[in-house]
């Protein structure tokens, strides 16, 4: 397991209650889009029973110069300290970990179904997919647009890419002009012709992942065409 010291360069609010943290990339650190790391606070002013480290997905793409993670801010010791970090703070990074990554075959059509903070590894994989001209559909669910981390950035990134379809879905915003309500088989079929053919990536809160797995089963998607990653709260 590789261990690095990383220095916080800046932070950015990327949605309501969601903070992105950017770090200088250590020499020799390589990773695949979709992987995660363990970030450990060094001598934090407070801690809790969960300790000083957490597993966080890398939202940055492998080609980007800096490393970036994003997290929902909660009222826990770790999140309180993380939310108050100043540029120049040094943390410990361990990893990378995980196999929630793109398939080696770039011709396989991909469908990402995610919600909330589950967008973090998907951002990384989508940026990588764009450079490789993969066929991608992203169904991205949130309550409101202001809750949707990276939405504007991703909308701009996919402009002009005919192989990529981004479908934001709002579950609690009557004024939203796009897709509203919950992702179901009918919505899936509107945007994914031949629903049994793509490779599906599901991630986000456990309840969302479970519901989307059941929805895909209803649509007739074989279980071996589904990859999942659950994000439990902390």
């Amino acid at each position: 397991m590789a261990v690095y010291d990383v220095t916080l360069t800046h932070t950015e609010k990327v949605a309501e209650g969601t903070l992105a943290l950017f770090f200088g990339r250590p020499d020799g650190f390589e990773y695949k889009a979709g992987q995660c790391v363990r970030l450990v606070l060094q001598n934090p002013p407070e801690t809790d029973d969960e300790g000083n480290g957490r597993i966080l997905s890398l939202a940055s793409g492998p080609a980007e110069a800096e490393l970036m993670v994003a997290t929902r801010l909660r009222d826990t010791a770790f999140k309180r300290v993380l939310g108050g970090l100043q540029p120049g703070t040094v943390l410990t990074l361990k990893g990378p970990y995980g196999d929630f990554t793109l398939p080696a075959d770039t011709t396989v059509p991909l469908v990402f179904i995610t919600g909330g903070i589950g967008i973090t590894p998907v951002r990384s994989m989508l940026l990588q997919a764009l450079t490789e001209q993969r066929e991608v559909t992203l169904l991205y669910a949130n309550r409101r647009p202001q809750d949707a981390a990276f939405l504007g950035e991703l909308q701009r990134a996919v402009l002009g890419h005919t192989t990529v379809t981004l479908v934001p879905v709002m579950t609690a915003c009557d004024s939203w002009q796009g897709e509203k309500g919950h992702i179901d088989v009918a919505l899936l079929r509107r945007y994914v012709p031949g629903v049994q053919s793509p490779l599906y990536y599901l991630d986000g809160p456990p309840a969302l992942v479970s519901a989307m797995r059941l929805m895909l089963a209803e649509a007739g998607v074989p279980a071996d065409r589904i990859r999942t990653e659950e994000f439990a709260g902390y």
Side-chain angles (χ1 to χ4, degrees):
M1 175 183 60
V3 180
Y4 306 87
D5 281 341
V6 291
T7 302
L8 181 70
T9 60
H10 64 287
T11 62
E12 179 183 343
K13 180 181 177 182
V14 291
E16 190 168 303
T18 303
L19 185 70
L21 299 97
F22 296 80
F23 299 90
R25 186 166 177 168
D27 291 340
F29 182 79
E30 301 293 337
Y31 64 101
K32 296 179 180 179
Q35 287 190 304
C36 57
V37 295
R38 182 172 178 83
L39 274 183
V40 183
L41 300 168
Q42 298 185 4
N43 303 311
E46 61 173 320
T47 188
D48 56 28
D49 292 341
E50 298 297 321
N52 298 333
R54 298 291 190 277
I55 297 290
L56 297 170
S57 294
L58 288 166
S60 50
E64 293 184 284
E66 288 189 301
L67 302 180
M68 186 257 285
V69 300
T71 185
R72 295 285 200 212
L73 295 177
R74 307 292 190 202
D75 190 22
T76 65
F78 181 83
K79 293 293 185 73
R80 285 193 295 269
V81 175
L82 203 67
L85 293 180
Q86 298 299 310
T89 301
V90 177
L91 288 80
T92 300
L93 180 148
K94 301 178 181 181
Y97 306 102
D99 56 6
F100 192 68
T101 55
L102 296 170
D105 185 352
T106 60
T107 66
V108 176
L110 307 175
V111 177
F112 296 106
I113 305 178
T114 190
I117 200 61
I119 194 63
T120 50
V122 174
R123 178 192 184 274
S124 179
M125 288 190 282
L126 182 62
L127 293 181
Q128 183 71 23
L130 286 171
T131 68
E132 297 169 348
Q133 299 183 336
R134 295 177 186 250
E135 182 181 341
V136 177
T137 302
L138 168 55
L139 307 180
Y140 181 23
N142 287 273
R143 286 177 52 80
R144 307 166 301 161
Q146 55 266 45
D147 299 322
F150 308 119
L151 177 56
E153 176 194 7
L154 293 178
Q155 288 173 320
R156 293 188 293 273
V158 304
L159 284 176
H161 290 269
T162 58
T163 60
V164 179
T165 302
L166 170 58
V167 185
V169 182
M170 301 301 155
T171 63
C173 183
D174 291 339
S175 61
W176 176 248
Q177 297 301 304
E179 294 287 354
K180 291 183 283 192
H182 295 282
I183 297 171
D184 58 15
V185 173
L187 186 146
L188 180 70
R189 292 188 186 280
R190 283 201 294 275
Y191 292 99
V192 183
V195 295
Q196 298 179 15
S197 299
L199 187 61
Y200 289 83
Y201 286 76
L202 315 179
D203 80 322
L208 172 67
V209 172
S210 178
M212 292 302 96
R213 188 190 287 274
L214 289 173
M215 185 269 293
L216 292 180
E218 180 185 346
V221 176
D224 63 1
R225 304 296 294 173
I226 303 171
R227 309 285 184 268
T228 64
E229 184 111 306
E230 294 185 358
F231 285 38
Y234 49 80

